Amino acid sequence: MNDAVKDSAVHYDPPIDTSTDDINAYLEGTNRSLYNFRDEGTDYYKVDEGLTREIVDQISKEKNDPEWMHEFRLKSLEIYNQMRVPDWGPPIDGLNMDNIVTYVRPKTDMKASWEDVPEEIKSTFDKLGIPQAEHKYLAGVGAQYDSELVYHHLQDFVAEHGVIYSDLESAMRGEYAQMIQDYFMKLVPPTDHKFAALHGAVWSGGSFVYVPKGVKVDIPLQSYFRLNAKGAGQFEHTLIIVEEDADLHFIEGCSAPKWNVANLHAGCVELYVKKNARLRYSTIENWSKNMYNLNTKRAIVEEGGRMEWVSGSFGSHVSYLYPTTILKGKGADCEYTGITFSGKGQDLDTGCRMVHIGEETSSLVTTKSLSKDGGIGTFRSAVEIRPSARRSKSSVDCQSLMLDDISRSDTIPEMDVCTEDCDIGHEAKIGSISDEAVFYLMSRGISEDEARAMIVSGFANPISKELPLEYAAEMNNLIKLEMEGSLA
Amino acid sequence: MTENRNSVIVNRLPSLTWNRLGVNRAYVDLDSLPAVSDEAVFTSANTEQVSTETKATPEATAWADGFTQGIRREAYIAAKSAIYQAQAFATGLGGDYTELIGKLVPETTVFTLEENQKPEKPVILSWDFGKGARAAAQQIIYAKKGSEATFLLNYLSDRDAAGHCAFETKVILEEGAHVRLMKVNLLGSGFVVLDDSAAVLGENAVFDFVQMELGGAKTYTGCYADQCGDHSIFTVNTGYMVNRDHLMDINYVAAQRGKNTDSKIYVKGSLRDEAFKVFRGTIDFRKGSKGSVGDEQEDVLIFDPGVVNKTVPVILTEEEEVDGRHGATIGNLSEDIMFYLGTRGIAKEDAEMLMTRGRLLSVAHMIPDTETVDKISDFIEEAFGDHE
């Protein structure tokens, strides 16, 4: 442990009960236009629509890839062309790769000061509150606009202790080149599935974080991804290595304006949690509702390590999102806490996968799902207890709330147990808002709409309280926005 | 049929999940069935209580399908995967198997319960495969308005016999009818068993399905209940025991269509040695099932490190005012229980047998035939004897 870092760290508020007045105050004045504004003409260079070897070559050249990466991209393209589209999830017929622009470079290179970011791009992040958030409670920020990072900065007091937070491409070409080559797409190989292969072929942007042994970063780092270009794809890659006894909280946010054509997000997140280290990875996903979000996230946890996922899924037209955790070392554990809100025109297929390999590993999954206005919400999970995972434990609890009778809510969990010496529990419940609860609240002078909103807020509360105040407030805001209209 | 030589796909999961998990479907390789030349010996008891007739299978199938004409058949499951194979009378094992058994069985036995008829004794149908034999049979039970009866199907053989069997039972329950269908598999350790069940329930109908799956080397079984009628009730109670390198593959589906319907799927079992088991259980609340409830529980005891257990408890919902739950507990006997039994001088193996027998007999005691229950009890004890 590095006391110096701990001491010098800016204190941030611990997770709070989001039903407090603080959050309501924070929410005042927010509206939908917060996320749904467009910037015209900010793209500077883009490749043609579609996916060909020439386009992959072009991206590789544009990125100044080392030779191994160029070959890796081409191999990934080959794999992509051989793999089939999944036959088990939401339909993705509306996604035509021939119409997707896989690389869009904005009119700037990466800056280390917001003042240097071109005004039209900076204003986007201003509206999203990113510079303000950095100033108040973040140890570092990376901001990606379309295919490239436009801003990256790490507070000096964190950098002084050896923490690396940079864009992945600089790291790949600089002093961490070997480390990137050793770790890049080793957890999520291009053969994993079709869209992992696509990512391997056209990835661009994303962050590299390295937390040295014993360093505990008390305040979070954040990456924010904004996809502005119409009909474009975003394929950022996040690689985080938290060394022995180190500690990190990483926050990921994303949004996009709504266009009348399909956009695609096929990012990839690879997380390495070493012995006795801890990593919390929080996401508030608010892509626009023309987005196909086919994202892959995976963590591997060594002995005594701890992985925590906090995930809020609100946006996208279609989502396939299942963070996977490989509990490799003895005593490794993982907690997954997630909420998914499916509204009109959305088919959000989310969940998680826990793979227990080490002895005495444990996993705890708590999810909430809400469906309304014809939205489809699916919780999909797998808990795999391998023969070596003796004395392991897993508990899964998923709850779904149907807010009307034109929506869908499904739970499709699987448990695959290959040892006798384990303890596995699973519980799921699907239901609607109980009339009795609404009646009780109304009998206390609360209107029906308010009563239903309160019940939904209470339902989501176990998730939002896992987030820092400002992010819990953003999540509650999103729920509030989603609930508008459905209550009328 | 599939491209894999002479095989059929059975027990498809109604809503597909990741293919890598290997639970979306099961393949039965018909070329690997144990070769036997003799037919199993069929006996029956108490059949005089009900009207019995045989019909040519195509005719019987078409007649039974007529009872399902009002059922909305979706093109997609869970708005995602296209329906794999439409079945007029949906069954647990599925359309490929129904097609297969249609070829294997020239005649189908139809049992009819007249309106309000309630025979006291269970109708018992038994197939004794002796040292090894084969059998294929299809039954249709037609329970008219207000009738009530119990049907018990026993599959028996010598302990180490090998053979194969293919069965299918369809139950049609009119308004207020109540049928208890009980199936007991006490076959030898070399058997391949395919046992399919299905029911269509009218208003206020009750279908109780009890299954004891204790024998066989490879067993594929399933049950699909279309709860079309309001206030209909479908209950499953299953006990299974799988040991050696045997396989058990189960698929239960409750399609709840009527208002205020109720489904309960309770499964408990034990796995030893290198047993491989897949349990799929789906509660499917269809549009119009307002006020319905569904509950699904599996309780699995695993005794050895070589076991593979796959459990897939699914809830699909396209209706608002429903209440669906599922739960599963998987693991070994708790240390507290083992310690307690140890202090009473009970060895580990005996404790495992006692706990297995206790669990399975809690299901077996639903069978209103003491001779069958005794056979089940003996079968469990002998199975643990083999293990030792």
Side-chain angles (χ1 to χ4, degrees):
Chain A
M1 172 170 165
N2 188 324
D3 285 329
V5 169
K6 215 171 162 42
D7 292 340
S8 62
V10 175
H11 177 73
Y12 76 99
D13 292 324
I16 61 153
D17 183 336
T18 52
S19 60
T20 62
D21 292 342
D22 290 350
I23 290 200
N24 290 331
Y26 189 91
L27 291 177
E28 281 177 14
T30 55
N31 59 60
R32 252 174 229 285
S33 62
L34 180 62
Y35 307 99
N36 195 26
F37 55 87
R38 301 170 181 176
D39 299 312
E40 306 286 350
T42 50
D43 52 308
Y44 175 67
Y45 169 83
K46 59 184 178 184
V47 297
D48 290 339
E49 293 174 347
L51 184 62
T52 61
R53 181 188 166 117
E54 290 68 36
I55 286 173
V56 173
D57 281 337
Q58 212 176 336
I59 293 171
S60 188
K61 191 177 171 191
E62 180 71 18
K63 314 298 290 182
N64 193 21
D65 279 343
E67 188 50 34
W68 71 267
M69 180 56 78
H70 181 221
E71 284 171 17
F72 185 91
R73 286 181 189 275
L74 294 176
K75 183 70 191 162
S76 298
L77 178 65
E78 237 180 87
I79 296 166
Y80 172 82
N81 286 328
Q82 289 163 8
M83 294 186 97
R84 289 188 299 183
V85 171
D87 61 354
W88 43 265
I92 51 173
D93 311 349
L95 176 66
N96 183 351
M97 278 309 296
D98 291 341
N99 298 334
I100 294 291
V101 178
T102 51
Y103 179 74
V104 179
R105 176 152 52 88
K107 280 181 184 168
T108 180
D109 53 2
M110 194 175 69
K111 306 295 182 190
S113 162
W114 283 113
E115 300 311 313
D116 298 332
V117 175
E119 187 53 37
E120 63 271 29
I121 293 176
K122 179 176 174 288
S123 69
T124 294
F125 290 103
D126 279 339
K127 286 174 195 165
L128 294 165
I130 305 304
Q132 301 90 315
E134 179 183 14
H135 177 68
K136 283 184 185 169
Y137 50 82
L138 293 171
V141 163
Q144 179 157 338
Y145 193 84
D146 293 332
S147 299
E148 293 290 356
L149 280 149
V150 294
Y151 174 83
H152 222 287
H153 181 250
L154 179 66
Q155 304 278 12
D156 290 344
F157 64 85
V158 182
E160 280 166 11
H161 295 281
V163 175
I164 309 298
Y165 181 37
S166 77
D167 67 296
L168 188 60
E169 287 152 27
S170 304
M172 182 173 64
R173 291 188 294 266
E175 62 178 301
Y176 304 102
Q178 190 56 50
M179 191 183 277
I180 302 299
Q181 192 170 355
D182 290 345
Y183 284 92
F184 182 83
M185 290 201 84
K186 294 294 193 294
L187 257 185
V188 184
T191 48
D192 203 67
H193 58 84
K194 190 171 182 72
F195 295 98
L198 172 65
H199 177 91
V202 299
W203 75 274
S204 177
S207 298
F208 169 61
V209 183
Y210 179 79
V211 185
K213 186 174 177 179
V215 174
K216 296 186 189 301
V217 185
D218 262 14
I219 53 178
L221 301 179
Q222 183 183 27
S223 279
Y224 198 94
F225 304 102
R226 177 75 175 177
L227 180 53
N228 182 68
K230 183 179 181 180
Q234 194 170 60
F235 307 95
E236 85 289 349
H237 194 98
T238 303
L239 174 60
I240 299 178
I241 300 166
V242 186
E243 286 287 3
E244 275 187 42
D245 296 312
D247 193 316
L248 175 70
H249 183 184
F250 191 88
I251 298 173
E252 176 193 72
C254 35
S255 67
K258 187 171 180 182
W259 298 98
N260 57 0
V261 296
N263 276 61
L264 169 64
H265 176 234
C268 181
V269 175
E270 296 184 289
L271 310 174
Y272 293 85
V273 182
K274 301 295 177 73
K275 188 175 175 183
N276 296 325
R278 171 186 171 271
L279 172 59
R280 170 170 282 219
Y281 196 94
S282 302
T283 306
I284 301 286
E285 182 268 299
N286 186 31
W287 293 116
S288 55
K289 292 177 184 175
N290 60 317
M291 182 71 81
Y292 286 81
N293 182 34
L294 312 175
N295 207 11
T296 309
K297 297 180 178 181
R298 194 161 298 168
I300 186 163
V301 188
E302 304 286 352
E303 183 180 337
R306 178 172 172 78
M307 179 69 216
E308 299 168 359
W309 301 94
V310 181
S311 179
S313 294
F314 295 90
S316 307
H317 169 52
V318 166
S319 261
Y320 282 64
L321 182 62
Y322 325 98
T324 295
T325 309
I326 301 165
L327 296 161
K328 184 184 169 200
K330 182 178 179 182
D333 84 301
C334 179
E335 187 170 340
Y336 175 88
T337 310
I339 186 164
T340 300
F341 200 119
S342 312
K344 187 176 181 180
Q346 292 184 283
D347 192 341
L348 306 186
D349 202 301
T350 61
C352 64
R353 181 172 167 227
M354 298 287 177
V355 183
H356 293 247
I357 295 173
E359 288 184 358
E360 296 172 16
T361 50
S362 60
S363 60
L364 175 64
V365 177
T366 308
T367 68
K368 306 273 184 175
S369 164
L370 298 103
S371 305
K372 72 164 188 72
D373 288 348
I376 300 171
T378 302
F379 169 75
R380 191 184 298 277
S381 72
V383 173
E384 299 170 37
I385 310 290
R386 300 284 167 85
S388 53
R390 301 180 67 78
R391 297 181 297 286
S392 289
K393 293 181 179 178
S394 177
S395 173
V396 177
D397 181 358
C398 55
Q399 294 182 29
S400 304
L401 202 54
M402 292 273 286
L403 298 178
D404 55 45
D405 60 1
I406 55 170
S407 304
R408 275 204 74 96
S409 182
D410 301 327
T411 68
I412 310 173
E414 197 256 6
M415 285 148 277
D416 189 340
V417 180
C418 297
T419 180
E420 90 290 7
D421 194 0
C422 64
D423 188 358
I424 312 302
H426 175 96
E427 278 186 63
K429 185 178 183 307
I430 291 181
S432 53
I433 293 178
S434 99
D435 290 342
E436 288 82 2
V438 174
F439 178 77
Y440 173 81
L441 290 170
M442 289 174 71
S443 72
R444 295 291 182 275
I446 296 166
S447 73
E448 183 178 348
D449 284 358
E450 280 178 307
R452 289 170 71 86
M454 283 174 77
I455 291 166
V456 169
S457 178
F459 180 76
N461 194 43
I463 314 296
S464 54
K465 77 180 185 184
E466 292 296 323
L467 292 165
L469 169 65
E470 292 77 6
Y471 297 91
E474 184 186 351
M475 200 186 88
N476 277 14
N477 181 38
L478 289 167
I479 292 172
K480 186 181 158 195
L481 293 175
E482 294 294 344
M483 287 297 292
E484 275 177 12
S486 71
L487 298 177
Chain B
M1 299 287 173
T2 68
E3 66 285 4
N4 300 330
R5 296 193 296 164
N6 186 22
S7 64
V8 288
I9 295 178
V10 298
N11 284 352
R12 297 184 198 238
L13 192 65
S15 187
L16 299 180
T17 189
W18 299 310
N19 290 310
R20 70 180 71 179
L21 301 176
V23 296
N24 282 333
R25 59 191 73 82
Y27 296 89
V28 183
D29 184 356
L30 300 179
D31 289 339
S32 67
L33 296 180
V36 285
S37 54
D38 295 333
E39 285 281 345
V41 177
F42 173 70
T43 56
S44 61
N46 307 328
T47 49
E48 70 285 356
Q49 301 175 114
V50 294
S51 159
T52 308
E53 61 177 322
T54 54
K55 289 186 177 181
T57 294
E59 183 196 342
T61 301
W63 171 73
D65 289 352
F67 288 90
T68 67
Q69 281 180 354
I71 299 175
R72 177 172 67 94
R73 292 297 175 198
E74 295 76 6
Y76 288 87
I77 288 281
K80 296 183 177 69
S81 325
I83 289 270
Y84 35 89
Q85 184 179 350
Q87 259 185 303
F89 203 124
T91 69
L93 262 61
D96 284 3
Y97 179 72
T98 295
E99 191 183 316
L100 172 72
I101 203 159
K103 292 172 185 164
L104 294 175
V105 182
E107 289 187 327
T108 295
T109 308
V110 179
F111 299 99
T112 302
L113 291 158
E114 299 302 333
E115 273 193 26
N116 299 315
Q117 186 189 357
K118 296 181 181 178
E120 281 181 18
K121 296 177 186 171
V123 175
I124 302 176
L125 312 175
S126 297
W127 287 262
D128 191 337
F129 291 75
K131 295 182 186 307
R134 60 189 157 78
Q138 186 176 44
Q139 309 85 32
I140 295 174
I141 299 166
Y142 177 30
K144 292 186 180 174
K145 192 173 173 181
S147 61
E148 182 174 348
T150 300
F151 289 80
L152 170 61
L153 279 67
N154 287 319
Y155 316 136
L156 312 165
S157 81
D158 292 352
R159 195 76 187 86
D160 292 316
H164 58 264
C165 57
F167 293 96
E168 186 167 79
T169 310
K170 292 175 179 170
V171 185
I172 300 154
L173 298 105
E174 288 188 346
E175 183 185 340
H178 184 173
V179 170
R180 289 174 285 270
L181 176 64
M182 304 182 170
K183 293 186 163 184
V184 179
N185 166 4
L186 301 178
L187 290 165
S189 55
F191 268 83
V192 176
V193 183
L194 293 140
D195 191 8
D196 198 9
S197 301
V200 175
L201 286 76
E203 195 175 326
N204 290 312
V206 179
F207 179 50
D208 291 326
F209 184 61
V210 175
Q211 197 163 22
M212 296 299 300
E213 289 292 347
L214 308 180
K218 291 180 180 175
T219 300
Y220 305 88
T221 188
C223 183
Y224 192 111
D226 250 322
Q227 296 180 252
C228 303
D230 295 349
H231 302 280
S232 60
I233 298 171
F234 170 49
T235 306
V236 176
N237 281 283
T238 290
Y240 63 78
M241 179 176 69
V242 193
N243 56 21
R244 302 192 193 179
D245 59 349
H246 295 169
L247 175 149
M248 176 78 62
D249 197 289
I250 304 172
N251 186 37
Y252 294 143
V253 182
Q256 297 183 236
R257 299 172 188 276
K259 286 180 189 162
N260 302 309
T261 58
D262 186 347
S263 72
K264 292 183 178 67
I265 300 174
Y266 298 146
V267 178
K268 52 181 83 171
S270 75
L271 304 171
R272 291 184 296 140
D273 306 325
E274 293 173 352
F276 186 103
K277 186 227 80 186
V278 180
F279 167 67
R280 306 170 194 80
T282 301
I283 293 171
D284 189 357
F285 292 112
R286 297 291 175 90
K287 186 69 75 190
S289 61
K290 266 192 198 318
S292 293
V293 295
D295 186 15
E296 181 182 1
Q297 300 288 333
E298 194 192 17
D299 188 358
V300 191
L301 274 178
I302 299 179
F303 292 128
D304 293 302
V307 160
V308 175
N309 173 76
K310 292 172 186 271
T311 297
V312 196
V314 174
I315 304 179
L316 309 174
T317 315
E318 58 181 11
E319 184 55 74
E320 180 190 10
E321 290 175 27
V322 296
D323 186 354
R325 297 160 192 262
H326 60 65
T329 53
I330 302 163
N332 205 333
L333 292 172
S334 75
E335 286 181 7
D336 289 349
I337 290 174
M338 293 306 288
F339 178 77
Y340 174 79
L341 293 172
T343 62
R344 297 293 181 272
I346 298 170
K348 181 174 177 289
E349 291 75 17
D350 292 335
E352 290 176 354
M353 193 275 284
L354 281 172
M355 296 307 290
T356 299
R357 201 171 70 150
R359 282 169 187 237
L360 298 183
L361 287 183
S362 71
V363 180
H365 282 303
M366 296 175 183
I367 298 169
D369 181 63
T370 51
E371 193 182 331
T372 299
V373 175
D374 289 345
K375 281 179 184 166
I376 290 169
S377 180
D378 293 346
F379 194 96
I380 296 166
E381 281 193 35
E382 281 177 33
F384 272 85
D386 290 350
H387 182 64
E388 288 160 22

